[in-house]
Amino acid sequence: MTARAAVIMAAGHGTRMKSKTPKVLHKVGGRTLLDRIIDTVQAAGCERIHVVVGTIPAVRKLVVDRLGEAAVVVQDPPRGTGHAVMCAEAALADFDGDVLVVNADPPLLTAQDLEPLFTLRRGGAALALLGFEPVDPLLYGRILRGADHHVIRIVEPSVASDEVKAVKLCNAGMYLAGREDLFRWLSRLTDDNPKNEYFLTGIVAEAVAEEKLVRAHVAPETAVMGADTPMQLADAEAEFQKRRRAHFLAEGVAMTDPKTVYFSWDTEIAPGATVEPYVVFAPGVKVATGAVIRAFSHLEGCVVREDALIGPYARLRPGADIGEDAHIGNFVEVKKVTVGKGAKANHLSYLGDGTVGAGANIGAGTIFCNYDGFFKYDTHVGEGAFIGSNSALVAPVTVGAGAFTGSGSVITKDVTPDALALSRPAQVEKPGWAARFREVMGARKKAARK
């Protein structure tokens, strides 16, 4: 098979986003646009990936972190899409194969959407490109084809006649060609235009001038849709969620109101799990079969094991590992705690840093006091332990297996197994005090009105 490389164009600032965050670092499904396109070209079999960046440090850092310094190609100053790809010529000087050129901002593009380009190349096309038929083609260049469907040229909308504007097939801005052909055509581009830029679309005219075969594959509009504005980003997110909901339903995940459930790119839910309305899965969540995620819960970076019950109104933060048949109930927050089989924390508690043993019961209002303002410490609750309501466990502390803590206790020392720990003053009762208090305060209030 012919070797595959990719050049990703990510040098733009994305000013139409009107955001401090660079466009390619905005997210769909909890993953940045740039990460998503890197995932896509990797899945398409591109063994070499180069990302054209500008002067934004955060974008460069993402590329280095994922692909290494050698993957970075700098375009400074920006002089158009054609110039962006020209900047990658030296980086690919030792490469012999096909080069895929893609934008960094189509969040829903998949390897399956790109594979037809490689098929066209194998079929003899010197240049293959993606086209689509948008509902509103106003801003897109039109792809003009001959009788046998080979591409003749691309016409930009600003210079298109009414006849050309009637053409439905538009340019998606993604191309595939052999490295030698691609950079030869790029070398012939000129910046003789009002913007003094080199436009990538010009390679079509160069290929046609050499009587090379140019073909286009028509992709769905959702596959190539960009995310240049907050509205387009929201549209992409909506389409992503629609696809993920359909996927999980088809896999056997029960959802009573799918349109209210939100997934991330890496959410894993096993068949037989149930998800109630208004649940959000942030990145890094795995849910096992039989688990039930009740309404209005938020999960991130956590594991929910078989037959566990979460929520309603629960929050699972990174590091939460909820064991088989365990219960995490309403308004309970769990962070970096492993909860054992059958353990329960059903009401109004914070569990942060530590472990809860199998079969333990965490009473309402319990707090793991895990932070002293400088460092985090662990709390460990043993198997079968019972933590009374409104307890504060001040870490580092261990409550032994089978031990009890009295309601309202502040536990600052380890509790031995099967012991009862109490740390509250004895109850004192003063007969008649309340009646005398009301009498005195009532008199004061009456006097204040005079």
Side-chain angles (χ1 to χ4, degrees):
M1 185 177 76
T2 304
R4 300 178 178 183
V7 175
I8 300 172
M9 296 182 289
H13 285 251
T15 54
R16 284 190 286 169
M17 277 291 182
K18 299 180 181 179
S19 169
K20 292 181 179 179
T21 301
K23 178 177 72 172
V24 299
L25 299 186
H26 282 81
K27 296 178 179 179
V28 167
R31 192 142 174 87
T32 70
L33 303 183
L34 183 51
D35 274 313
R36 294 182 67 85
I37 200 67
I38 292 173
D39 293 343
T40 295
V41 298
Q42 285 180 331
C46 293
E47 61 191 61
R48 290 270 294 271
I49 301 172
H50 293 283
V51 183
V52 182
V53 303
T55 58
I56 302 174
V59 176
R60 182 187 185 112
K61 182 179 185 303
L62 187 154
V63 177
V64 173
D65 289 347
R66 283 212 58 183
L67 302 171
E69 190 69 42
V72 175
V73 172
V74 179
Q75 183 190 28
D76 183 26
R79 298 190 62 193
T81 53
H83 178 253
V85 183
M86 290 178 194
C87 292
E89 183 173 10
L92 286 168
D94 62 342
F95 178 75
D96 183 17
D98 286 343
V99 178
L100 174 69
V101 179
V102 294
N103 300 313
D105 68 341
L108 304 177
L109 187 71
T110 68
Q112 290 73 28
D113 296 319
L114 292 171
E115 192 57 35
L117 295 182
F118 295 99
T119 301
L120 289 174
R121 281 282 291 139
R122 289 193 297 270
L127 176 61
L129 59 147
L130 276 186
F132 69 113
E133 296 182 353
V135 174
D136 182 4
L138 180 65
L139 300 176
Y140 300 103
R142 304 309 200 273
I143 298 175
L144 304 186
R145 296 187 290 182
D148 64 350
H149 282 170
H150 69 278
V151 176
I152 300 172
R153 62 191 175 115
I154 295 176
V155 180
E156 294 300 325
S158 59
V159 296
S161 64
D162 290 341
E163 181 181 5
V164 170
K165 289 178 181 178
V167 174
K168 295 182 178 180
L169 185 59
C170 295
N171 178 33
M174 285 167 263
Y175 306 84
L176 179 69
R179 181 197 61 82
E180 186 176 342
D181 284 343
L182 175 64
F183 289 108
R184 183 177 68 257
W185 297 329
L186 287 167
S187 70
R188 295 173 183 167
L189 300 183
T190 69
D191 61 354
D192 185 18
N193 55 72
K195 292 186 176 181
N196 296 122
E197 294 183 350
Y198 297 92
F199 296 124
L200 187 56
T201 52
I203 65 174
V204 173
E206 295 301 326
V208 170
E210 291 183 358
E211 299 184 350
K212 299 284 190 179
L213 181 62
V214 182
R215 293 280 192 185
H217 171 74
V218 183
E221 182 175 8
T222 54
V224 298
M225 66 188 295
D228 290 328
T229 66
M231 179 60 75
Q232 290 177 345
L233 192 70
D235 289 343
E237 184 70 42
E239 179 62 25
F240 170 84
Q241 295 299 338
K242 178 181 176 182
R243 293 182 183 186
R244 296 304 287 164
R245 292 163 189 153
H247 165 78
F248 285 117
L249 288 168
E251 289 293 305
V253 176
M255 287 184 275
T256 54
D257 192 3
K259 67 179 180 295
T260 66
V261 179
Y262 289 82
F263 299 100
S264 285
W265 66 282
D266 60 350
T267 305
E268 297 180 26
I269 306 180
T274 298
V275 182
E276 292 186 358
Y278 299 100
V279 172
V280 175
F281 294 96
V285 177
K286 295 182 180 180
V287 178
T289 187
V292 177
I293 314 300
R294 302 192 65 187
F296 295 99
S297 295
H298 188 287
L299 292 77
E300 178 181 8
C302 62
V303 176
V304 179
R305 301 191 185 275
E306 290 187 17
D307 300 318
L309 176 62
I310 308 299
Y313 295 96
R315 185 182 181 196
L316 301 186
R317 291 172 56 194
D321 187 335
I322 311 305
E324 180 182 348
D325 200 35
H327 293 188
I328 300 298
N330 45 284
F331 302 103
V332 175
E333 179 178 348
V334 182
K335 189 272 292 186
K336 203 176 178 182
V337 172
T338 297
V339 178
K341 180 178 179 180
K344 294 178 174 61
N346 279 323
H347 323 279
L348 303 158
S349 296
Y350 170 68
L351 313 181
D353 297 286
T355 59
V356 175
N361 186 88
I362 307 297
T366 295
I367 299 172
F368 284 14
C369 305
N370 60 331
Y371 184 50
D372 66 0
F374 295 92
F375 302 102
K376 298 288 181 72
Y377 303 93
D378 287 354
T379 297
H380 299 288
V381 176
E383 292 187 9
F386 185 95
I387 307 301
S389 296
N390 201 35
S391 292
L393 307 183
V394 182
V397 70
T398 296
V399 178
F404 275 55
T405 67
S407 296
S409 294
V410 178
I411 304 301
T412 59
K413 297 179 181 179
D414 291 351
V415 181
T416 57
D418 295 318
L420 168 63
L422 298 169
S423 65
R424 61 189 182 205
Q427 183 170 315
V428 175
E429 184 173 320
K430 298 182 178 182
W433 182 92
R436 291 193 300 272
F437 177 77
R438 284 192 294 270
E439 183 180 353
V440 170
M441 297 308 292
R444 289 183 182 178
K445 188 173 183 180
K446 185 176 181 180
R449 291 174 179 169
K450 293 182 179 180

